[in-house]
Amino acid sequence: MLQWGGWLGALLLGQLAGHHLARASGPEFQHHRYEDMVRALFAVQSECPYISRIYSIGRSVQGRHLYVLEFSDNPGIHEALEPEFKYVGNMHGNEVLGRELLIQFSQFLCQEYTAGNERITRLVHDTRIHILPSMNPDGYEVAANQHVLSSVGRQGPEFNGYLVGRGNSREQDLNRNFPDLNALMYYYEKSSGRNHHLPLPDNWEQQVEPETLAVIKWMQNYNFILSANLHGGAVVANYPFDKARDPRIRGRTTYAATADDKIFKKLARTYSYAHSWMHKGWNCGDFFEEGITNGASWYSLSKGMQDFNYLYTNCYEITLELSCDKFPPASALQREWLGNREALVSYLEQVHHGIKGMVYDENNNPIANAEISVGGVNHDVTSGVDGDYFRLLLPGTYSVTTSAPGYLPSTRSVTVGPAEAIQLHFYLKPAPKQNQNIKNQNLHGKRNHASKLPVNLGPR
């Protein structure tokens, strides 16, 4: 059995990909305007109809569909214990490499599956993969027009084009547009409040752009476990938190670690070291040790998408900065694809690490929204609507507790290895009814005494 991310898998991938890359090195390595992108996605779905589907999560301000291409052995269906994964590209309209890489990656998954590549076949069978090549199609069209108008065919600050098309058609930066849950999280850290699935503010839907709203609704409808969003302008794997805990400190950066800091570092390193040059550190005139950085340590950013994923859902997301040039020429796309291909696969495989399992009641009925807590890690995850849960963990031995309202909590010990996720199921017993004596005392009018007795409200 192949281990996720093993050298054998990498070798298989390289060998089996060669003839496809030779075939695809012509017209497919080009920039795709919106209509071209849509045609490319539907062409992939047509070529691999049994393992893919296309759906729209909403529309942009100007009415363009935000199309997602899904890969699975059962497209359109969540299978229990099969994790959901997503890639998001082109959040900033003028940062276009991610868009092209995800189109190419979609073609690659289809072609390699058809060719019988064991590694890709296993990924498609064991993972539900969602690919959103462009979160900001309106901004892209503005940037692409600017790109065409540029006298040298390249974008840069000297042509006043470095920010053109970054935002959506209302010129709103979508990576500064999500509800700010960091401030609430940092308050809860001091008051021992919730550490996951933080509540959204009232009237939040009126405070975000249509593209942002569509992505948040998407997150609500799918139990994503791992994600990356693809940007440009640097070459580094950036991990949460993006927002510094103390905004009063000016002029210097401060590291803002999550409770899962070690896991996020490992996820970032996975991409960086599988990338042809990101891990070398020196890129675009900057140096990042191992090609990774904590977001706030680089510069503090509020209302970003990756922090929102972590604080509102079960999803761990990092931000991949993939090119010095935000709008690289078409002639550079093949080199960039070759540099990112293995990293895109290796990172996706990380969704299969840690533990996963089902949460049942004593009659084997699945329990949704049960909380799964890991000793020593102040960040919980929850089970999905089918009762399945997924928890990314590094190798080691952990104490895991599962709880749900109306049930007694259950704690088990588990040892996680370096290969695929360990299955750990929980069967929760109903919590005992409230003490019958209290009810009897209330019936006899002894409410004053009863009110002084502790009331067991059960697990939170």
Side-chain angles (χ1 to χ4, degrees):
M1 180 180 289
L2 290 177
Q3 285 192 359
W4 292 109
W7 286 106
L8 180 57
L11 185 61
L12 264 173
L13 184 62
Q15 289 176 340
L16 288 173
H19 67 285
H20 291 308
L21 286 170
R23 183 176 68 184
S25 60
E28 291 186 347
F29 285 105
Q30 62 187 13
H31 289 291
H32 291 74
R33 299 295 286 257
Y34 179 73
E35 292 79 7
D36 299 325
M37 178 185 72
V38 172
R39 277 194 291 268
L41 295 178
F42 276 90
V44 171
Q45 199 281 325
S46 178
E47 186 178 344
C48 289
Y50 301 112
I51 60 162
S52 66
R53 76 171 177 125
I54 290 178
Y55 64 97
S56 172
I57 61 172
R59 291 179 182 264
S60 66
V61 171
Q62 296 181 343
R64 295 181 175 91
H65 275 290
L66 304 179
Y67 282 118
V68 174
L69 181 57
E70 173 194 333
F71 285 93
S72 168
D73 56 345
N74 286 289
I77 299 171
H78 173 76
E79 300 174 72
L81 297 176
E82 185 171 290
E84 310 260 355
F85 176 96
K86 63 180 165 70
Y87 271 133
V88 178
N90 201 208
M91 184 182 198
H92 290 144
N94 64 333
E95 297 171 10
V96 306
L97 179 59
R99 174 187 180 115
E100 300 307 328
L101 289 176
L102 292 181
I103 293 172
Q104 193 69 39
F105 187 60
S106 301
Q107 295 168 344
F108 172 78
L109 290 177
C110 173
Q111 292 168 346
E112 291 305 307
Y113 185 91
T114 302
N117 182 328
E118 288 185 44
R119 188 180 180 197
I120 299 305
T121 298
R122 189 178 181 205
L123 265 179
V124 171
H125 285 181
D126 294 352
T127 326
R128 196 172 177 203
I129 305 163
H130 304 257
I131 298 172
L132 173 61
S134 181
M135 182 180 165
N136 185 5
D138 296 355
Y140 176 89
E141 295 302 312
V142 173
N145 288 334
Q146 168 72 20
H147 184 66
V148 170
L149 291 173
S150 174
S151 60
V152 296
R154 291 175 70 90
Q155 205 171 17
E158 66 271 28
F159 301 106
N160 196 30
Y162 196 70
L163 296 177
V164 173
R166 176 183 175 88
N168 67 355
S169 65
R170 295 174 180 162
E171 298 188 0
Q172 294 297 310
D173 187 330
L174 299 180
N175 206 29
R176 312 289 190 278
N177 191 238
F178 285 78
D180 183 3
L181 299 183
N182 292 74
L184 185 58
M185 181 74 240
Y186 299 158
Y187 169 76
Y188 282 163
E189 286 177 344
K190 299 174 182 176
S191 58
S192 298
R194 287 186 66 84
N195 64 25
H196 67 102
H197 291 81
L198 303 189
L200 296 177
D202 294 336
N203 75 330
W204 68 271
E205 293 190 22
Q206 285 72 50
Q207 300 173 3
V208 300
E209 293 298 303
E211 296 89 348
T212 310
L213 177 62
V215 167
I216 294 175
K217 295 288 188 182
W218 189 33
M219 295 177 188
Q220 292 173 337
N221 290 329
Y222 295 85
N223 184 22
F224 293 115
I225 305 303
L226 182 62
S227 172
N229 71 87
L230 283 55
H231 289 246
V235 178
V236 65
N238 176 103
Y239 56 91
F241 285 124
D242 267 335
K243 184 175 181 178
R245 280 181 169 81
D246 191 346
R248 293 170 297 179
I249 300 176
R250 300 286 177 103
R252 65 186 182 90
T253 58
T254 55
Y255 195 112
T258 66
D260 287 291
D261 190 56
K262 292 180 180 179
I263 293 174
F264 274 117
K265 283 182 178 177
K266 191 235 185 177
L267 291 170
R269 286 192 190 104
T270 295
Y271 199 95
S272 177
Y273 278 95
H275 189 282
S276 294
W277 56 87
M278 183 183 288
H279 60 279
K280 296 178 180 177
W282 283 108
N283 293 293
C284 319
D286 292 321
F287 178 76
F288 296 98
E289 186 73 35
E290 296 186 288
I292 68 173
T293 186
N294 171 259
S297 181
W298 187 8
Y299 61 90
S300 184
L301 178 162
S302 186
K303 301 183 179 182
M305 185 164 70
Q306 70 174 13
D307 287 8
F308 182 85
N309 269 269
Y310 183 68
L311 295 174
Y312 182 63
T313 77
N314 288 320
C315 191
Y316 291 56
E317 179 173 279
I318 68 173
T319 301
L320 298 170
E321 302 282 351
L322 297 177
S323 59
C324 303
D325 194 339
K326 290 174 178 275
F327 208 125
S331 59
L333 295 180
Q334 183 171 10
R335 174 180 181 269
E336 294 288 355
W337 164 243
L338 293 173
N340 283 275
R341 181 184 64 195
E342 170 60 27
L344 288 166
V345 177
S346 294
Y347 183 79
L348 201 167
E349 289 172 331
Q350 296 304 303
V351 77
H352 293 283
H353 290 287
I355 59 174
K356 66 179 181 179
M358 301 294 300
V359 183
Y360 296 110
D361 64 17
E362 58 183 6
N363 296 316
N364 289 329
N365 298 310
I367 300 175
N369 294 315
E371 295 185 344
I372 292 86
S373 306
V374 176
V377 183
N378 189 32
H379 181 81
D380 302 340
V381 298
T382 60
S383 58
V385 292
D386 297 318
D388 54 346
Y389 75 91
F390 307 83
R391 184 60 164 92
L392 301 180
L393 291 170
L394 297 178
T397 299
Y398 301 90
S399 176
V400 182
T401 300
T402 297
S403 58
Y407 296 90
L408 292 172
S410 174
T411 300
R412 296 181 61 187
S413 178
V414 62
T415 298
V416 176
E420 59 195 65
I422 303 296
Q423 289 201 21
L424 183 67
H425 305 304
F426 287 89
Y427 297 83
L428 302 186
K429 297 179 179 179
K433 303 293 185 182
Q434 285 197 352
N435 194 308
Q436 193 64 34
N437 290 334
I438 296 178
K439 294 181 180 179
N440 292 336
Q441 287 175 345
N442 285 336
L443 289 173
H444 289 89
K446 298 179 180 178
R447 288 184 176 84
N448 290 336
H449 294 288
S451 64
K452 297 177 183 178
L453 296 172
V455 178
N456 177 19
L457 299 177
R460 62 193 173 102

